[in-house]
Amino acid sequence: MIDAQEALIIGLVNKVAAADSLLSEAKKLAGSLAEKGGFALNMAKSALNQSVSLDLNSGLDYEIECFSACFSTYDQKEGMAAFAEKRKPKFLGR
């Protein structure tokens, strides 16, 4: 068992919040994720879920498949265009 600060130090978590601000911090994170491309988030979640049942090489192969799948989406093209045009992307989750 480790405490929250140790988890932060070793990189197990990326943020520690006090109990009284936990809900507002979670909502901020959810809002930030909601602005991202839905398809890419689904692929990231899938890769993470698969990582617990695959060996390292198989997991890396699966990550490559997920990453490659993201490049055939509308959201990828929109993200690149928005970056080039210095504007906020309008992701559609496809």
Side-chain angles (χ1 to χ4, degrees):
M1 297 289 289
I2 60 172
D3 64 21
Q5 289 302 332
E6 179 68 16
L8 183 63
I9 290 167
I10 66 173
L12 187 59
V13 298
N14 61 358
K15 187 168 191 167
V16 174
D20 61 343
S21 64
L22 185 58
L23 185 58
S24 66
E25 291 296 325
K27 286 181 178 181
K28 274 195 242 179
L29 176 59
S32 174
L33 290 174
E35 294 176 358
K36 309 297 184 211
F39 185 83
L41 289 175
N42 284 336
M43 290 292 97
K45 183 179 176 183
S46 179
L48 284 168
N49 286 336
Q50 290 295 320
S51 71
V52 297
S53 61
L54 298 174
D55 61 80
L56 179 60
N57 287 332
S58 298
L60 292 172
D61 288 343
Y62 188 71
E63 181 182 1
I64 290 168
E65 288 176 33
C66 291
F67 183 78
S68 297
C70 290
F71 274 84
S72 64
T73 66
Y74 166 86
D75 283 352
Q76 185 277 333
K77 291 165 187 56
E78 168 60 13
M80 293 297 288
F83 179 79
E85 297 166 11
K86 298 182 179 6
R87 62 174 172 82
K88 194 170 187 172
K90 297 177 183 114
F91 294 123
L92 301 179
R94 54 184 172 105

